[in-house]
Structures are given as C-alpha cells and as structure tokens.
Amino acid sequence: MGQLLDRILDFENMTEAWEETRKAGETPGVDHVSVRRFQRHWETHLWDIIADVRANAYRPWPLRIITIPKRSGGKRRLGVPTLTDRVLQRAVLQMLGPRLDRKFLSCSYGYRPKRSLFHAVAAILKYRDRKLTWVLDADIDSFFDSMDQPLLWTLIQKEVRDPGVLRLLQLWLEVGVVNAHQQKGVSQGMPISPLLSNLYLHEMDWQLVRNRWALVRYADDFIVLTYSRTEAERCQGIVADILDDLMLEFQSEKTHVTSFDEGFEFLGVFFDKDSYTYTWQDKRVQVHGSQGPLWGMWDYFPHGYE
C-alpha cells in the first residue's frame, strides 16, 4: 500500500472528511443512508471504510441521479454518491488536492483554496485597466458530460503514482461516466469531480498562458482579454483548436467576441465600460473604476458551482 493511500486512510483525515461531508448537506445516495443515520455510528463506519479499502474490498455504489434547474434554463444533471463514497472521495480530495493545486496556474480560480470569484473579478479589472478591453467570452459545450475519460485517465496517471489511489479514482470514474459507450463524462455531484475538471482544463491553461494570452478561468467558464477585436477573434480560433485536442468544443450560441464598451457578464458579474455590477444580499451593487465593495464575493460561489 502506497504512502499517499496511507495518509488518506489515516483516521484523523477520514474524520475531517466526514465532518466536511456532514456539513455539506443531507442528500442521501441510492442506499438511502442519511447524515443523521450515518452519524449515529460514524466512527464504526469510518473504520469499516478503512478496512474495506485496505482489503481491496471497497466498491462504490451507483450514483443517485437528480436534476436541478439551471439559471440559464433547462436542467443540470447531478450524480450523488452515497455518504460512504462521499466521505472517501473527500478524504482523497484532502490529500490529493493540495498536490495538484501546486501544478495549476494563477489564471484558474474555481474550486481552489484561497481563491474565489473575488480574485477572478480583481484579475479582470487589472487587465481592463491595462487596456485589454476586448474579450473572448467562451462557453464549453456540456463540459462535464464531454470530458474524455481515456484522456483524463492519462492525465491522472501522470500525477498519481500510488496504485491504491489510482484504483479508487478508476472506480469512481467508472460509476461517474455519463456516456459509457463513448467513455465520456464525469458526473457533477461527486466531491472529486471539480478537482478532475481543473486537471483536465489545466491542459488549456498552460497552452494559452505560455503564449501570453490573458486568461481568467473559473471551472469551465472562462474569458480571454486582448487589446483588439482582431486579437480576440484570432484567440477564438486558437482556443477552438486546443479544445478540439481535448475532445471538447465551444457552445456556439454562448461564445462570442465582445468588449467592455459593449458590456458582458461573467459568473453573475456584469462589466460595462468602467463599471461592474453584481448582487450582494439581494441588493444590486454598481461600482465605478477599479475599487469598490467587493466583500460580497469573498464567500460567493457562482450559480451552478455550489
């Protein structure tokens, strides 16, 4: 058994994972075990999980599929693991997340410690004040449903060497696959999914950043800021090629070149010329210039990323 898996299965780490899972919500998985029921004998449950993983007997339950409304219309598909599986995934996330986070670039703001929408907005304002006022406002078509699992697995194997951890990740990819026939998709709703999404899109990040494009990405939503419309249109072609290599594509209806003069919305914040507007505590806040009351964004997750 590898050192990474040993640290994951340490009882203190497992306890922390249980506490975070408990605080995250009541939604049970397909086994109908609630937080309240799990909590009655939580220590025994944790030791059982540890024993199963060490004995190579652990198998995840199928996901409970639910749908929630999207702000833009339609439904978002979520795959909810059982509490047992959520606890173990979070235990892995607590150990593997910091390792991978050191690899990720500063242009990535979603699902990362000490980073939030606040920091993404601050970066956009910095680029605006440097006269990068043209914007490629991009949307990836069905990102989580379209991730190519063989490619993702190749990326995982480059970063994770512990065979026990690889086995767990492979099991979760198998139950979380959205299109088994095409080996595509990672279900949203699994605690490990956001980390895997950042690992996948890191391949786009470094290609753009190494060529000095001003990228701001929050999970699968991103913009690229440029000095001119021509540059932004050229960047759109470059990004399309990168996404094609990742077996992804733009959602054409939601991807376009715009500017601060025309105005655009990114993650619920509307940028218009030298001002930006957002809602905090049900109040509309409009700020002119680069400074203003951004405190409402410190703990804010954009709609759909909670």
Side-chain angles (χ1 to χ4, degrees), residues 94-109:
Q94 289 169 178
M95 289 295 162
L96 186 58
R99 287 183 169 212
L100 294 184
D101 196 74
R102 291 192 290 268
K103 172 188 180 73
F104 299 152
L105 303 181
S106 60
C107 60
S108 170
Y109 295 91

Side-chain angles (χ1 to χ4, degrees), residues 13-74:
N13 183 58
M14 292 290 291
T15 300
E16 182 180 344
W18 153 242
E19 287 297 328
E20 291 300 315
T21 303
R22 181 183 62 80
K23 290 186 291 187
E26 286 279 349
T27 307
V30 295
D31 62 353
H32 304 294
V33 175
S34 65
V35 168
R36 183 175 300 180
R37 180 177 164 188
F38 192 101
Q39 190 167 8
R40 292 174 192 159
H41 305 287
W42 67 269
E43 291 174 294
T44 300
H45 291 313
L46 296 190
W47 284 118
D48 286 344
I49 296 170
I50 293 169
D52 283 348
V53 174
R54 291 190 180 278
N56 209 30
Y58 167 77
R59 298 291 185 277
W61 287 73
L63 302 180
R64 176 188 172 196
I65 304 303
I66 63 174
T67 58
I68 60 173
K70 297 169 67 174
R71 185 176 58 179
S72 57

Side-chain angles (χ1 to χ4, degrees), residues 247-259:
M247 303 185 190
L248 302 170
E249 60 185 10
F250 287 127
Q251 185 171 350
S252 57
E253 298 85 358
K254 295 183 178 180
T255 299
H256 63 288
V257 170
T258 184
S259 68

Side-chain angles (χ1 to χ4, degrees), residues 152-201:
L152 175 59
W153 186 243
T154 298
L155 298 174
I156 290 171
Q157 288 180 302
K158 289 180 180 179
E159 305 300 329
V160 181
R161 303 295 182 181
D162 188 312
V165 179
L166 286 172
R167 177 180 176 275
L168 293 176
L169 292 170
Q170 188 171 45
L171 289 171
W172 293 329
L173 287 179
E174 288 173 359
V175 300
V177 68
V178 176
N179 186 327
H181 177 70
Q182 295 182 339
Q183 292 184 285
K184 283 188 175 294
V186 176
S187 288
Q188 292 177 270
M190 299 194 301
I192 202 70
S193 296
L195 179 65
L196 297 181
S197 73
N198 273 336
L199 177 63
Y200 200 92
L201 287 177

Side-chain angles (χ1 to χ4, degrees), residues 248-280:
L248 302 170
E249 60 185 10
F250 287 127
Q251 185 171 350
S252 57
E253 298 85 358
K254 295 183 178 180
T255 299
H256 63 288
V257 170
T258 184
S259 68
F260 283 90
D261 284 340
E262 295 174 9
F264 64 95
E265 183 178 332
F266 183 61
L267 300 172
V269 181
F270 186 76
F271 298 88
D272 182 26
K273 299 181 175 62
D274 67 341
S275 71
Y276 55 97
T277 305
Y278 63 98
T279 300
W280 183 62

